[in-house]
Amino acid sequence: AGTRKTGDPLTLPPGVDSEKFIDFIRRVEDIVDQTNVTVITKAEHLGKESYLDPSKVHDMYHVLDEDYFVSSAVVAPRNVREVQAIMRLCNEFEIPVWPFSIGRNVGYGGAAPRVPGSVGLDMGRNMNKILDVNVDGAYALLEPGVTFVDLHEYLVKNNLRDRLWIDVPDLGGGSVLGNTIERGVGYTPYGDHWMMHCGLEVVLPDGTLVRTGMGALPDPDADSSLPPDEQPANKAWQLFNYGFGPYNDGIFSQSSLGVVVKMGIWLMTNPGGYQSYLITLPRDEDLHQAVEIIRPLRVGMVLQNVPTLRHVLLDAAVMGDRKKYSSSDKPLTDAEIDKIAAELNLGRWNFYGALYGPPPIREAMWQVVKASFSTIPGAKFYFPEDMPENKVLQIRDGTLQGIPSLDELKWVDWLPNGAHLFFSPIAKVSGEDAVAQYQLTRRRSEEFGFDFIGTFVVGMREMHHIVCIVFNRKDPEQRKNAFKLIQTLIDDAAKMGWGEYRTHLALMDQIAGTYNFNDNAQMKLNETIKNALDPKGILAPGKNGIWPKSYDKKAWSI
Ligand code: ADP
């Protein structure tokens, strides 16, 4: 890196001196206008801590030093042609660029880049239009800056919610496009966002614009004198995913191979009736039986949505901080956890689900669900109106019908200055696997001084086991322990054949290393594609452990 002068960013891009950087900034200002360029010069650009006002330059939930994962500048293009021009400029200057849509991405690194000093590409600031909501086809076409809250409000304002619902993750402030290409999940029947996307428009690292699937077939009425991104697309782009030939979409998810500028997403038709519910299970060991009950019901679609089986401390944390429940500074014991569960009228495990459809359908489903879970001694059944004081049930009642919330993250305040990492291994929907993952993750959490806070999110044939490692970001010792804990868990899990579905910037290399079948054949394939599409390695180097040939992978390890 070059020598620092006044006006230099806190961190220059690797191998770029301040003269070259200033030159780059001038050139990029010519593209997007200087009002859309911020050089991260002052420490006051750091220090943001609130989900409601998220940082666009660093990781708010930093597990390393706050100023490690930080951009040199943030650039916000106004349209697709500017994104293309920025890609070409970054190639010319060999400057790494890290796209994000909203940059909330809490627990995974926020808006921050993997390589310190990368240029952040703020796709959401200006490119935030809902381009289409099609009622008959039940889909939307979105730009990166559209949040779940935006899309929901659009349906409400246009009186469309009696026709269409969206699916939302726990928090509604993120980008629909960003969350979907990261393969985030929600909790309605459309909870697997990636499964429900249809059609991408992508700027490749060299600036080429691609439409995937049916989008590759031009609309016969399109005016070919318009720039490609403005040409009306094929009418089936959002209706049929695969088009013809190899299906490319996958390489643009969790990927460093393109900047996604438009995405189609299927919406759920309003099912004509809805009822959320909570089933509380009193004993820790009920986990095994519960998961055995869930498997056939879920794969058989009697459980219609993506339900969750939550450990009581997750719910407790949404409803109060740790001090409210305990003055001990040791991980809570089983007796203390039982006491909390009793206070809150909850079980040790709490199952949140919903029924969809007109009354006869819901009643039939509910009979089966209730009879199945009634085989667990002490199981109790509630509807939201039975438990007005249960804040979690009230939030889930909205979430499971696609109404976004910003309240669920309350659990991060379990500790003062709370921040979190997610450890999220995939589990079989089997009692044995669930119990083994729970026991391992709880034991390790406690070894490192943390309470176990977690939930099983039940997909069609697997569970995303989400362990929330909450730590005090202002306590260096706790940060270190949280980091060591997750590193330990990744290795422990790999030994059991368990792998994570997504991770924080600081853990990408380690997890990528566990997916190493046949001498890292998959990584070699990923590297081959990366080097072919991005020979100078400018787009999101290091993302998900994939390093372009222009980087020495070892030198960048953390
Ligand atoms: P959130 O929706 O939670 O705010 P982000 O916008 O921060 O999420 O996106 C999360 C991650 O997804 C980014 O760090 C980046 O790796 C990837 N990403 C987001 N938007 C795009 C995009 N438009 N093109 C390519 N990658 C993207």
Side-chain angles (χ1 to χ4, degrees), residues 98-105 110 123 144 174-175 177-179 181-182 258-260 543:
W98 183 273
F100 62 88
S101 289
I102 296 293
R104 284 200 156 101
N105 205 24
M123 294 300 299
S175 155
L177 184 155
N179 179 281
I181 62 176
E182 286 294 284
V259 181
V260 182
K543 179 159 166 71

Side-chain angles (χ1 to χ4, degrees), residues 416-428:
N417 306 308
H420 68 93
L421 285 168
F422 283 127
F423 175 66
S424 20
I426 298 299
K428 269 170 68 183

Side-chain angles (χ1 to χ4, degrees), residues 51 98-106 108-112 121 123 144 148 173-182 252 254-255 258-261 502 505 508 539-540 543-544:
Y51 182 82
W98 183 273
F100 62 88
S101 289
I102 296 293
R104 284 200 156 101
N105 205 24
V106 290
Y108 297 116
L121 192 66
M123 294 300 299
F148 292 96
S175 155
V176 181
L177 184 155
N179 179 281
T180 301
I181 62 176
E182 286 294 284
F252 299 114
Q254 294 194 359
S255 134
V259 181
V260 182
V261 289
R502 184 181 181 187
L505 296 172
M508 286 176 174
L539 189 59
K543 179 159 166 71
N544 285 75

Side-chain angles (χ1 to χ4, degrees), residues 36 95 121 202 336 393-394 405 417 463 488 492:
N36 287 310
I95 285 184
L121 192 66
V202 187
E336 288 168 310
L393 182 53
Q394 304 305 322
S405 149
N417 306 308
M463 302 189 290
T488 306
D492 287 344

